[in-house]
Amino acid sequence: MKYRQLGDTELRISEVSFGTWAIGGGWGEANDDESIRGLHRAMEAGVNFFDTADVYGSGHAEELLAKATKGKEDEVHIATKFCRSGDIHDLATYSEQAVRQFAENSLKRLNRERIDLYQIHCPPLAILKDGSVFEVLEKLKAEGKIRHYGVSVETVEEGLFCLTVPGVKALQVIFNLFRQKPADLLFPQANAAGVGILVRLPLASGLLTGKFTTSSTFAADDHRNFNANGDQFNVGETFAGLPFTKGVDLAQELAWIGDGRGNMARAAMRWILENPHITCIIPGFKNVKQIEDNLATLEVPAFTSEELVRLKSFYTTDVHAHIRGAY
């Protein structure tokens, strides 16, 4: 395992880490025993960072992490998120009383005394600009309830604003071969500001595994079904904002990246890690096999300069115009 510094904090985290949305709920059926085995396998391989949220399975993902990391609280870092269990547009959701309750609930489920990274979960820009939520987070930090705080953002504009807030130490961003925009402006400025970058949805909700066809279907409780067109939350969180059938077609055009790199998924994540401004990727998983396959990203050969130019051109020419939603 290789480790990278989280911005200018003291935390060094595994460059391949894992998100827990899938094992909490919202990606179809998951098995808790298999989820726990996957978490243990990741830690055995040196993974020391997991991302979760209070709304993943209504706290279930946090409870699974508590069980899997018991006794390793000092060596395994956990990031969780808050606000989406309330009305994200209502300032009351970000009041001191509300945020304290969110934090205490997460601490209880995680069975920890401190949250290593506490993130606002995709709030509107107006909430960020109001700024009062950051004052609350500073209080929680001073009290030792949280170690650092950050923001999970949907757009480059939101990310750039967060860089003006001195206490923000991490941004969580959707970034993958289908969604390259943040690399141009946001990532260099975050690096200059000492802010870490956590990459979520590195495989564009599975499109970049290359395993889907235009006739693929998803379970009723899978967001790739109920949010395919942004009916429940930002469409960018599902298939990187691409219409599903278009995404499948584009993925087929990218199949070449898997040649000599094990498979397409590993290659897609290797491409992300070649960006020096990235702290880590946080792919999801449901079982040990997926953990091991994602960890194999570390062994994938680098892309040539010619390949990188080709991939940038592909995004600019063939992909960008089809992305929907805030970006």
Side-chain angles (χ1 to χ4, degrees):
M1 180 57 67
K2 298 178 182 178
Y3 300 85
R4 301 187 183 188
Q5 206 77 22
L6 179 65
D8 61 9
T9 75
E10 76 288 2
L11 296 177
R12 287 185 61 79
I13 61 180
S14 45
E15 62 180 20
V16 174
S17 295
F18 287 92
T20 60
W21 186 6
I23 65 173
W27 291 73
E29 185 178 356
N31 178 281
D32 286 355
D33 290 338
E34 185 65 13
S35 298
I36 293 292
R37 283 193 288 270
L39 291 168
H40 283 305
R41 178 67 188 94
M43 289 184 285
E44 288 169 4
V47 173
N48 72 342
F49 182 80
F50 296 97
D51 176 77
T52 189
D54 58 4
V55 291
Y56 293 170
S58 299
H60 186 55
E62 291 179 326
E63 293 169 345
L64 288 173
L65 280 171
K67 184 175 181 180
T69 65
K70 186 176 181 179
K72 299 180 179 181
E73 291 82 3
D74 292 334
E75 58 192 271
V76 176
H77 309 304
I78 292 179
T80 192
K81 301 185 283 292
F82 71 95
C83 82
R84 298 196 78 84
S85 58
D87 180 352
I88 63 169
H89 299 282
D90 187 349
L91 264 177
T93 301
Y94 308 88
S95 68
E96 182 171 346
Q97 180 182 2
V99 176
R100 281 187 180 278
Q101 192 61 59
F102 290 143
E104 291 294 345
N105 291 344
S106 284
L107 284 166
K108 183 177 180 179
R109 288 188 292 264
L110 290 167
N111 196 22
R112 294 194 170 208
E113 295 182 357
R114 179 176 65 176
I115 297 168
D116 294 301
L117 178 64
Y118 203 33
Q119 303 159 104
I120 317 174
H121 198 173
C122 301
L125 182 60
I127 294 296
L128 295 172
K129 288 186 173 180
D130 170 79
S132 59
V133 66
F134 296 114
E135 297 174 9
V136 178
L137 291 170
E138 281 292 337
K139 289 183 179 180
L140 293 178
K141 183 179 177 183
E143 295 168 11
K145 298 287 186 181
I146 63 176
R147 193 169 184 173
H148 300 291
Y149 60 86
V151 186
S152 181
V153 298
E154 299 282 12
T155 70
V156 168
E157 182 183 11
E158 291 165 0
L160 290 172
F161 177 81
C162 290
L163 297 182
T164 69
V165 181
V168 170
K169 294 301 179 183
L171 293 178
Q172 189 176 135
V173 181
I174 303 172
F175 181 65
N176 54 56
L177 282 166
F178 286 156
R179 204 172 174 92
Q180 299 185 30
K181 181 181 175 182
D184 295 334
L185 183 63
L186 179 59
F187 290 176
Q189 292 198 25
N191 184 65
V195 174
I197 297 291
L198 314 177
V199 171
R200 70 183 187 274
L201 299 170
L203 298 177
S205 306
L207 279 177
L208 289 168
T209 65
K211 65 184 180 182
F212 298 148
T213 68
T214 54
S215 59
S216 295
T217 59
F218 304 94
D221 61 347
D222 191 321
H223 76 100
R224 292 172 292 186
N225 179 352
F226 65 76
N227 196 60
N229 295 305
D231 294 333
Q232 299 296 318
F233 41 83
N234 182 10
V235 70
E237 298 286 345
T238 307
F239 303 128
L242 292 169
F244 178 67
T245 54
K246 184 63 179 179
V248 170
D249 291 341
L250 290 169
Q252 291 174 350
E253 293 183 42
L254 279 179
W256 63 269
I257 66 173
D259 295 341
R261 296 187 173 92
N263 60 41
M264 187 176 174
R266 296 175 194 173
M269 290 189 287
R270 178 72 259 170
W271 174 84
I272 294 172
L273 290 175
E274 288 185 21
N275 187 308
H277 301 144
I278 300 299
T279 305
C280 72
I281 53 174
I282 47 173
F285 72 97
K286 285 187 179 181
N287 53 55
V288 172
K289 183 180 183 301
Q290 290 173 347
I291 289 283
E292 293 178 340
D293 199 51
N294 289 334
L295 289 171
T297 299
L298 296 165
E299 303 164 8
V300 169
F303 286 86
T304 66
S305 56
E306 290 80 10
E307 287 175 324
L308 292 174
V309 169
R310 179 180 175 184
L311 290 168
K312 178 67 172 179
S313 177
F314 173 74
Y315 162 75
T316 303
T317 304
D318 298 340
V319 180
H320 181 265
H322 299 284
I323 295 175
R324 302 167 297 169
Y327 188 19

